[in-house]
Amino acid sequence: MTKLRVGVIGGGQLARMMVVPAIELGLEIKVFAEAENSSAAIATTMVGDYTNIDTISEFAKTVDVITFDHEHVPLEVLRELEAKGVSVQPPSRALAFAQNKLDMRKRLSELGLPMPVWAEIRTEQELQEFLTANGGACILKTPIGGYDGKGVRVVRTIQDASDWLTAEGLARVGGSLLAEEKVDFVREVAQLSARRPNGEFRAWPLVQTTQKDGVCAEVICPAPNASNETIAHAAQIAKDVAEGIGVTGVLAVEMFETRDGRLVINELAMRPHNSGHFSIEGSVTSQFEQHLRAVLNLPLGSTEPLGAVAVMVNLLGVDDQNDFVRGFESVLADHPQAKVHTYGKGARKGRKMGHVTVVSNDAEFALAESRATAAALLDA
Ligand SMILES: Nc1ncnc2c1ncn2[C@@H]1O[C@H](COP(=O)(O)OP(=O)(O)O)[C@@H](O)[C@H]1O
Ligand SMILES: [Mg+2]
């Protein structure tokens, strides 16, 4: 049998973490990276500009399917690939809703899925009307190009957004902004799932996510004290999203849990996601393996947990120096139950540099040990 070949656009840590299951399954994985020394350098076969259709087309000729480590490849490029007969998974018609938060809100509204109150904002007057109708505060977002809290702002007066509402500011983000009610959530949760082109769908248990300054800091699987009803409801939401917009591969649905127990959708990611890193050690099938299976239309693996609780703590860059290699040896010696992942990225404040996961039948231990290991690496 000839090897199945997966091409990943983007050389970040998500591409890097697809390499291990690709090797295990005996797949060939090729990465199209934006720089020589990317996190996924070990599997990089081409370096170039992912907005250039000619170079991306050359890359596509070397693989059976194209998938992604990020959602920034322009839709025109993906549509051209599809027109040439390249298998792009998730397809451009689905990925469009991960690229543009306004289009996502419009489409999920059509599907009748639960969301915060939202509106498209083009002028200061429209923003003022939204603020007045929603208790004087809102969350304002740039529809495209934001990540890790960049492009998200709490707004109380139109002055808070005056730089975004200039003609130039609006032009940069596609002509309009997305205003959302500031959801009074008790916590944030994420539903991870995967879907094959033939429709097979599997969901992992709902997880609880904690964001610090808009960046994912900690994930607990399953979400503590979630009722069976909530867990089933969340999985159904993900299935409705995946089927409603034709997602293939891994889909993460970020949601808010409200004080009265409702789930409302925050945003979508159509690729392995930070909220699913726990699954590398915490599940029969990791999100990275599942993504490869799904985009190749191979049967999906079990998402059953391998312990009562899995806790994942991110290693976020503290400065330009600490690359989490200093003190590595003593941390590994002191925390043998912890699974330490580093991404081979240069140190930078706030940057996702790695993560730590502890899986255990003892929830308190998993929480304490994962936090202690991450703290020891940060302090080293
Ligand atoms: N409507 C909202 N109400 C309250 N908090 C929000 C809302 N939207 C976003 N946030 C907060 O901001 C964080 C980042 O917003 P998100 O839309 O997920 O942007 P990003 O693309 O940067 O992840 C969320 O994880 C949440 O903590
Ligand atoms: Mg988010």
Side-chain angles (χ1 to χ4, degrees):
M1 194 182 95
T2 52
K3 276 193 182 180
L4 295 168
R5 301 164 306 169
V6 182
V8 185
I9 300 182
Q13 66 266 21
L14 303 177
R16 177 186 180 98
M17 288 186 272
M18 289 181 211
V19 175
V20 175
I23 291 170
E24 289 171 346
L25 287 168
L27 310 172
E28 216 168 299
I29 185 164
K30 301 181 189 223
V31 171
F32 183 98
E34 43 287 325
E36 290 289 347
N37 294 319
S38 74
S39 190
I42 191 168
T44 298
T45 59
M46 252 175 108
V47 173
D49 173 6
Y50 57 74
T51 68
N52 183 315
I53 179 68
D54 296 328
T55 36
I56 288 287
S57 297
E58 278 309 303
F59 177 66
K61 283 183 195 155
T62 71
V63 294
D64 301 311
V65 60
I66 288 283
T67 190
F68 311 95
D69 152 280
H70 59 69
E71 47 263 312
H72 307 312
V73 184
L75 290 180
E76 310 84 75
V77 171
L78 300 177
R79 290 193 192 112
E80 267 195 71
L81 286 179
E82 288 167 339
K84 290 180 184 177
V86 175
S87 172
V88 177
Q89 309 292 342
S92 62
R93 69 190 154 80
L95 203 66
F97 303 110
Q99 291 192 350
N100 187 311
K101 291 178 184 178
L102 252 174
D103 290 344
M104 178 269 289
R105 289 283 181 237
K106 288 176 191 163
R107 183 70 186 113
L108 298 190
S109 292
E110 288 167 9
L111 293 170
L113 289 161
M115 287 195 297
V117 175
W118 66 273
E120 182 168 7
I121 303 293
R122 290 194 188 80
T123 62
E124 292 189 348
Q125 191 191 336
E126 284 176 349
L127 178 59
Q128 189 54 59
E129 281 166 15
F130 190 86
L131 284 169
T132 308
N134 288 279
C138 77
I139 304 284
L140 196 65
K141 303 184 179 183
T142 58
I144 55 174
Y147 68 98
D148 288 349
K150 295 170 185 67
V152 174
R153 232 183 239 181
V154 181
V155 167
R156 293 196 165 77
T157 66
I158 49 176
Q159 282 74 39
D160 292 341
S162 47
D163 54 330
W164 280 3
L165 280 166
T166 60
E168 197 185 44
L170 285 172
R172 257 201 303 274
V173 296
S176 52
L177 297 166
L178 168 63
E180 296 176 2
E181 105 189 67
K182 190 165 179 296
V183 178
D184 178 26
F185 57 79
V186 283
R187 62 173 166 181
E188 295 189 63
V189 292
Q191 177 64 60
L192 197 73
S193 65
R195 184 172 173 273
R196 280 167 76 181
N198 78 351
E200 191 193 355
F201 174 89
R202 283 189 192 248
W204 281 266
L206 185 69
V207 302
Q208 173 181 310
T209 68
T210 311
Q211 271 61 237
K212 231 186 262 160
D213 302 323
V215 186
C216 175
E218 189 175 283
V219 174
I220 306 178
C221 177
N225 306 316
S227 66
N228 290 338
E229 224 173 28
T230 302
I231 287 185
H233 180 47
Q236 187 60 49
I237 288 174
K239 192 159 193 268
D240 290 344
V241 171
E243 289 174 356
I245 66 184
V247 180
T248 55
V250 165
L251 165 71
V253 183
E254 296 181 3
M255 291 180 276
F256 303 121
E257 192 174 52
T258 62
R259 221 161 280 285
D260 53 355
R262 286 175 304 121
L263 295 174
V264 293
I265 299 175
N266 176 27
E267 65 164 343
L268 310 178
M270 292 171 205
R271 48 168 171 75
H273 187 251
N274 204 161
S275 64
H277 292 354
F278 76 88
S279 64
I280 296 175
E281 294 90 6
S283 308
V284 172
T285 311
S286 79
Q287 63 165 347
F288 299 100
E289 175 174 349
Q290 200 80 304
H291 188 72
L292 296 173
R293 289 178 180 232
V295 300
L296 284 164
N297 203 16
L298 293 168
L300 301 181
S302 164
T303 52
E304 215 176 297
L306 291 176
V309 178
V311 180
M312 191 261 359
V313 179
N314 266 350
L315 298 174
L316 297 173
V318 283
D319 53 30
D320 296 342
Q321 304 296 319
N322 189 349
D323 55 5
F324 302 102
V325 172
R326 214 165 42 189
F328 199 55
E329 206 176 315
S330 65
V331 171
L332 294 186
D334 293 346
H335 302 279
Q337 297 295 320
K339 304 302 290 185
V340 176
H341 297 248
T342 58
Y343 305 153
K345 290 158 78 169
R348 196 171 72 211
K349 192 169 163 47
R351 194 175 205 194
K352 287 176 180 169
M353 305 283 295
H355 72 267
V356 175
T357 300
V358 175
V359 180
S360 174
N361 288 326
D362 178 344
E364 256 170 63
F365 173 79
L367 206 57
E369 190 62 4
S370 55
R371 287 177 180 170
T373 309
L377 282 161
L378 289 168
D379 291 344

